[in-house]
Amino acid sequence: MLEHCTPWPESFATQYLRQGYWKTESLVDVLEARAGAAPDRVFVSDLRGNLNYGKIDRLANHIAMHLLGLGLKRRDIVLLQFPNVREFVIVFFALQKIGVIPVMCLPHHRARELSYFAELTGASAYLFPQQHRNFDYLPMARELQAANPNLRHLVALGDGTEPGIAYLDEWMTEDAPVREPTRELAAHRPDPFEVAFMLLSGGTTGVPKLIPRTHVDYLCNASECVRALRWDANTAFLVALPAAHNFPLGAPGMLAALVAGGRVAMSASTEAETIFEAVERQQPTFLGVTPALLISLLNSPLREKYRLDSLRHIYAGGQKMLPELVEQTRKAWPFASPGHAFGMAEGLTNLSRPDDPWCDIVETQGRPVSAADEIRIVGDSDESLPVGAVGELITRGPYTIRGYYKSDTYNRQAFTGDGFYRTGDMVRLHPRGNLVVEGRKKDVINRGGEKISAEEIENLILGHEKVHMAAVVAMPDAVMGERSCAFVTLRSGKSLTLTELTAYLEKKQIAKFKLPERLEVVDSLPLSGMGKVSKKDLREVIAAKLESEGMRAGSCRN
Ligand code: J2J
């Protein structure tokens, strides 16, 4: 396994192989098997049309040859930051064909995050869109390259003439004269037990952690999702959330659709109308969203304009879907059954099952997809709690990592001595065996499914010359579930506004969703018995304040 990753202990690996959870098979083997068996079956559709398995496989071979031509080789690490376009799938598989390991960056990551990933991994290439949601990636790419000499290659989506940039459109024509790919690529095939890609953690620490996922573990994850959801070749998954996120990528998403021999449809953005149009035109059967996105779809006046009845299932995950939202979804779209995806990029996927009793679908977040997933619900000293009690969920299994990349010290905290991953999620076991998420132990703000590490933002705020102390906490929000609120104490005689703070943080070039949406300047921060800032108190303060403001606003209107 790649250096600085934690392999599964030999005894577990042998057992997972013997029991068939792991198969000696890479993502490339699965794609080629599907392309061989049914080359004309559609694998990817978008508003530009359909691409069948054969074509995706040939294009991936073709692009792989170009990547080899750049000098990329097995075990090289690259940053892949594509939005939801067909090239995401093609380039992802092209990298797999030659064993190059992409870090699955999300489109909203900015120079600070990307630079950190590049430095940590020694990435040798950055693959990026030129423009996405009004942001120009090219200047950022140049900046990144200047700051990270390892980053030798810049590969942009589309075409262009900038020197020093390889343009993907020039590589996309299958007829371009490249040497016969299949024979040459045989020498570069990945080892199924090797890391296939790295996902980004929702993060509780100052910097996001990288999650190495191997071919065998991810294929196990995807296959178990396929089994739990009874997907088959008729399943079409709509990728509406950013494709590089674990949910749409394969738990359950694109790579699970591949395992099932099904199809993925692509929505270019999370705008309600774009999603509705993608459903009407591409006829997916399965939609994966966050509760926040689901609310925006339900609230959209455009809902009635489109035919959405190809959908059979609408699963929400990333944060808890509340019972009212489950009920509302079924009422709005009676042809599609709602369900929960309670997953994590580190591994464990919990899903509602299509035949779960309705009250379980309303009240619980599903259960692990694999019989080999070991879960425990524990108290503060890792002691098992009685059934029904709320405790931290810890887990290990054939597709849950044993350690983050290059994080020996943090790994000792994030995993138990016997290899269980501490999820930081507070759950209880429902009498019929599903899990109910009751809260969270980890210090993150879950903004509509996007995780913000409080520590990361506090560290940045503390760099502001006027700030003395800072604590970032979640404040309740009807749509996003949570938004972030920064409490600060200031140096004497200073004042600070949210606009000033935001401008300062924007200069740090971080993803926009991490910016605090409210600033509370206080004289002091409440301390807990241990002398640490009491976030619990701060959460209560801001929740009460919001409520009283809401009531005042209400009484004004009356
Ligand atoms: C409550 N909390 C949830 C849910 C995730 C499918 C779906 C989501 C993710 C994901 C994923 C939740 N109810 N239904 O990888 O394959 C919170 C928990 C969890 C953290 C993981 C998938 N679904 N969460 O969200 O790595 O706190 O993965 O530990 O981004 O999101 O975040 P992430």
Side-chain angles (χ1 to χ4, degrees):
M1 201 174 177
L2 186 74
E3 239 190 307
H4 309 295
C5 297
T6 315
W8 279 262
E10 196 62 44
S11 58
F12 282 84
T14 315
Q15 190 190 331
Y16 295 147
L17 266 168
R18 207 185 50 235
Q19 296 174 335
Y21 292 109
W22 286 0
K23 298 189 180 66
T24 314
E25 202 176 50
S26 72
L27 291 163
V28 176
D29 296 322
V30 179
L31 174 67
E32 290 177 2
R34 299 288 172 274
D40 299 327
R41 189 182 277 282
V42 175
F43 181 22
V44 177
S45 67
D46 61 14
L47 294 184
R48 283 191 270 163
N50 295 333
L51 287 174
N52 61 37
Y53 274 95
K55 176 101 178 168
I56 295 265
D57 188 45
R58 284 197 306 279
L59 280 169
N61 282 339
H62 194 75
I63 305 284
M65 293 294 286
H66 281 285
L67 295 169
L68 282 177
L70 284 184
L72 292 179
K73 55 179 192 317
R74 195 186 281 163
R75 286 193 169 185
D76 279 353
I77 299 178
V78 301
L79 307 185
L80 177 65
Q81 194 183 25
F82 283 177
N84 294 5
V85 289
R86 51 179 53 196
E87 288 86 348
F88 177 98
V89 186
I90 297 162
V91 173
F92 175 82
F93 282 108
L95 293 164
Q96 298 305 325
K97 293 252 180 184
I98 55 172
V100 171
I101 302 168
V103 176
M104 306 301 285
C105 307
L106 299 171
H108 58 223
H109 284 122
R110 293 292 175 261
R112 187 181 177 87
E113 289 104 356
L114 297 169
S115 205
Y116 168 74
F117 302 145
E119 212 172 291
L120 184 72
T121 61
S124 52
Y126 173 46
L127 300 95
F128 59 97
Q130 297 189 50
Q131 261 247 336
H132 178 66
R133 299 191 67 181
N134 296 323
F135 182 77
D136 273 327
Y137 288 72
L138 210 111
M140 182 169 76
R142 295 268 192 227
E143 243 177 76
L144 270 178
Q145 194 175 40
N148 298 276
N150 278 323
L151 219 51
R152 288 188 302 282
H153 311 289
L154 299 180
V155 181
L157 270 177
D159 56 15
T161 52
E162 287 269 328
I165 311 270
Y167 288 95
L168 205 62
D169 273 6
E170 286 171 27
W171 295 354
M172 285 288 283
T173 41
E174 256 190 286
D175 315 319
V178 179
R179 299 177 305 278
E180 166 57 41
T182 24
R183 271 238 308 282
E184 190 163 338
L185 288 175
H188 299 271
R189 293 180 83 80
D191 171 355
F193 297 94
E194 186 50 274
V195 176
F197 50 83
M198 297 212 217
L199 297 171
L200 308 176
S201 79
T204 52
T205 49
V207 283
K209 296 277 171 234
L210 296 186
I211 299 169
R213 300 292 302 261
T214 61
H215 293 265
V216 287
D217 96 66
Y218 210 78
L219 280 168
C220 167
N221 194 167
S223 307
E224 294 288 39
C225 287
V226 165
R227 195 151 56 151
L229 296 170
R230 304 214 200 102
W231 280 12
D232 59 23
N234 296 317
T235 301
F237 179 89
L238 180 66
V239 180
L241 297 169
H245 186 273
N246 187 45
F247 183 1
L249 185 66
M254 174 180 108
L255 297 174
L258 167 77
V259 168
R263 172 165 68 91
V264 285
M266 300 277 233
S267 169
S269 83
T270 47
E271 296 293 320
E273 184 155 29
T274 313
I275 293 178
F276 293 146
E277 197 184 352
V279 175
E280 183 173 284
R281 303 237 327 243
Q282 301 176 59
Q283 307 265 299
T285 59
F286 195 106
L287 174 62
V289 287
T290 56
L293 181 53
L294 186 53
I295 294 173
S296 89
L297 297 180
L298 284 165
N299 289 345
S300 168
L302 299 166
R303 194 174 105 189
E304 305 300 336
K305 247 181 74 185
Y306 291 89
R307 276 204 74 155
L308 308 176
D309 60 1
S310 65
L311 290 173
R312 293 286 162 268
H313 298 279
I314 300 177
Y315 270 53
Q319 68 184 160
K320 184 165 169 167
M321 170 162 60
L322 297 174
E324 308 82 77
L325 187 54
V326 184
E327 303 272 11
Q328 224 184 325
T329 304
R330 184 158 86 163
K331 222 168 115 205
W333 297 302
F335 43 80
S337 48
H340 299 257
F342 164 35
M344 51 209 77
E346 287 82 356
L348 183 70
T349 312
N350 302 282
L351 296 173
S352 317
R353 303 300 198 270
D355 54 3
D356 274 352
W358 176 246
C359 55
D360 290 5
I361 291 182
V362 174
E363 284 166 24
T364 79
Q365 276 62 61
R367 59 183 176 280
V369 289
S370 177
D373 286 318
E374 298 175 68
I375 57 168
R376 292 180 58 208
I377 298 172
V378 300
D380 286 339
S381 329
D382 285 350
E383 75 283 12
S384 287
L385 298 181
V387 172
V390 176
E392 185 184 9
L393 174 66
I394 64 173
T395 181
R396 68 181 180 189
Y399 63 89
T400 295
I401 56 159
R402 293 299 186 116
Y404 293 100
Y405 175 70
K406 274 196 187 167
S407 303
D408 285 348
T409 315
Y410 180 66
N411 283 342
R412 281 194 279 280
Q413 188 183 318
F415 295 83
T416 64
D418 52 358
F420 280 75
Y421 165 60
R422 299 182 193 278
T423 66
D425 294 315
M426 300 298 281
V427 305
R428 79 182 149 84
L429 201 60
H430 189 264
R432 275 189 296 275
N434 280 10
L435 294 170
V436 182
V437 180
E438 294 287 6
R440 189 165 63 221
K441 202 174 170 185
K442 53 194 172 188
D443 197 5
V444 297
I445 294 109
N446 190 336
R447 184 186 187 276
E450 294 190 296
K451 319 302 185 302
I452 304 167
S453 155
E455 186 187 328
E456 180 183 354
I457 306 308
E458 286 160 6
N459 286 342
L460 292 175
I461 297 177
L462 285 172
H464 194 289
E465 55 177 13
K466 292 182 178 174
V467 173
H468 179 54
M469 283 172 78
V472 175
V473 297
M475 53 184 180
D477 182 83
V479 175
M480 290 298 180
E482 297 174 9
R483 291 180 190 269
S484 79
C485 171
F487 280 86
V488 297
T489 63
L490 299 178
R491 299 195 182 279
S492 64
K494 303 287 182 198
S495 65
L496 185 70
T497 64
L498 180 62
T499 318
E500 264 178 273
L501 179 65
T502 308
Y504 171 80
L505 291 173
E506 273 176 339
K507 280 205 217 94
K508 300 282 171 193
Q509 300 185 301
I510 53 170
K512 223 181 178 136
F513 75 89
K514 297 180 184 173
L515 297 172
E517 289 167 273
R518 180 165 175 140
L519 174 68
E520 291 289 311
V521 177
V522 289
D523 293 334
S524 64
L525 294 174
L527 299 182
S528 68
M530 306 287 286
K532 272 177 50 175
V533 172
S534 168
K535 298 225 163 158
K536 184 171 167 282
D537 286 349
L538 290 175
R539 280 193 294 269
E540 282 169 15
V541 168
I542 190 63
K545 203 161 172 183
L546 284 171
E547 194 165 318
S548 74
E549 286 168 5
M551 277 166 59
R552 270 213 308 278
S555 53
C556 284
R557 272 199 303 273
N558 289 335

